């Protein structure tokens, strides 16, 4: 039985391609001695907050000088590395106090007042309680205060979904921030947000300047 010339030529081309690929790999220079491996956050998808760690990958915290390589936030002082020094994660106690105050405001304002207040401060990355406690919600990918629609998604849609989940899991999801590295609740993970303390309003969005009219018009 004679061999098909077409099959023989195909196998020779495949063999040459494999040989060329092996040569190409062999010609690549080895990594320099002492080179650090790729940080862990770079090996994960954007589902993890670590994926948004600063590209420069600092090795120490600019505030407390603790090791922070491959992290989004300092695990010692809570400094958020993509934000100005002094902007830190809100503590667990402050978050819990904000939760209690939020519910108190809802009751005292018969919910309608709280809702109107919330819609007014959502563009600043805040809720009524967070405004009173100088806390702010940060949208991680853009390292700035969350805007209106993201706050709406976080407070009503994401919280609603987690609330349904918590109702059948002994309310365990509400305590997620106790063991999360970036003190995120599950609705924070859904909205890709962090909650920070901003007592000096350094992250408050600046008002948009009015659009200028074309020349010749008034």
């Amino acid at each position: 039985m004679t061999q098909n010339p077409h099959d023989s030529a195909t196998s020779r081309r495949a063999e040459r391609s494999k040989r060329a690929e092996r040569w190409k790999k062999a010609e690549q220079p080895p990594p320099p001695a002492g080179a650090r491996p790729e940080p862990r956050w770079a090996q994960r998808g954007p589902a993890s907050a670590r994926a948004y760690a600063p590209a420069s990958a600092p090795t120490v915290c600019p505030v407390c000088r603790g090791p922070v390589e491959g992290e989004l936030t300092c695990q010692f002082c809570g400094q958020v590395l993509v934000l100005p020094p002094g902007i830190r994660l809100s503590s667990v106690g402050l978050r819990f106090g904000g939760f209690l105050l939020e519910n108190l405001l809802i009751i005292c304002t018969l919910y309608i007042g709280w809702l109107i207040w919330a819609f007014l401060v959502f563009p600043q990355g805040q809720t009524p309680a967070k405004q009173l406690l100088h806390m702010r919600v940060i949208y991680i990918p853009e390292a700035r205060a969350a805007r209106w629609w993201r706050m709406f998604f976080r407070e009503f849609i994401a919280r609603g979904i987690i609330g349904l989940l918590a109702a059948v899991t002994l309310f365990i999801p509400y305590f997620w921030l106790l063991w999360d590295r970036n003190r995120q609740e599950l609705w924070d993970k859904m909205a890709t947000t962090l909650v920070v303390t901003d007592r000096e309003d350094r992250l408050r969005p600046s008002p948009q300047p009015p659009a200028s009219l074309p020349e010749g018009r008034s």
Side-chain angles (χ1 to χ4, degrees):
M1 183 176 180
T2 59
Q3 184 177 6
N4 189 334
H6 178 71
D7 294 341
S8 179
T10 301
S11 62
R12 286 197 298 271
R13 284 197 298 269
E15 182 63 28
R16 284 197 298 268
S17 177
K18 292 180 181 179
R19 193 180 300 116
E21 189 173 342
R22 288 197 296 269
W23 287 345
K24 184 177 180 181
K25 290 181 179 180
E27 291 174 355
Q28 291 180 350
R36 292 176 178 171
E38 188 179 32
R40 288 173 295 175
W41 60 262
Q43 302 172 4
R44 300 189 179 191
S48 170
R50 285 189 182 184
Y52 300 101
S56 57
T59 57
V60 295
C61 173
V63 177
C64 72
R65 313 307 294 176
V68 295
E69 186 174 10
E71 299 286 353
L72 174 64
T73 61
C74 177
Q75 302 301 303
F76 299 92
C77 69
Q79 169 68 37
V80 182
L81 301 178
V82 295
L83 297 177
I87 302 297
R88 309 184 184 191
L89 293 173
S90 296
S91 66
V92 174
L94 189 60
R95 294 285 297 273
F96 181 67
F99 171 77
L100 296 179
L101 180 59
E102 205 82 75
N103 285 277
L104 179 62
L105 291 174
I106 290 175
I107 295 172
C108 293
T109 62
L110 303 179
Y111 187 71
I112 299 299
W114 178 90
L115 193 64
I116 296 172
W117 187 356
F119 283 0
L120 291 175
V121 297
F122 272 3
Q124 303 171 19
Q126 294 177 312
T127 62
K130 285 180 173 59
Q131 186 181 43
L132 295 177
L133 297 176
H134 302 286
M135 300 161 67
R136 201 175 302 275
V137 178
I138 300 300
Y139 180 45
I140 302 174
E142 298 180 5
R144 59 165 174 78
R147 297 298 193 261
W148 200 94
W149 282 109
R150 187 155 301 275
M151 289 296 297
F152 181 86
F153 172 79
R154 179 185 185 273
E155 296 299 322
F156 293 101
I157 299 177
R159 273 182 181 269
I161 294 173
I162 300 305
L164 294 176
L165 177 64
V168 296
T169 54
L170 301 178
F171 300 100
I172 293 176
Y174 285 131
F175 301 95
W176 193 273
L177 84 165
L178 294 177
W179 55 79
D180 189 85
R181 297 181 68 84
N182 298 297
R183 298 178 198 163
Q184 288 179 295
E185 290 284 16
L186 288 179
W187 49 83
D188 283 311
K189 293 185 178 297
M190 294 175 65
T192 324
T193 56
L194 293 174
V195 179
V196 301
T197 299
D198 184 21
R199 297 192 180 279
E200 300 176 356
D201 283 340
R202 296 162 65 188
L203 301 179
R204 181 173 182 171
S206 57
Q208 296 293 332
S212 57
L213 295 175
E215 294 183 4
R217 297 186 182 182
S218 59

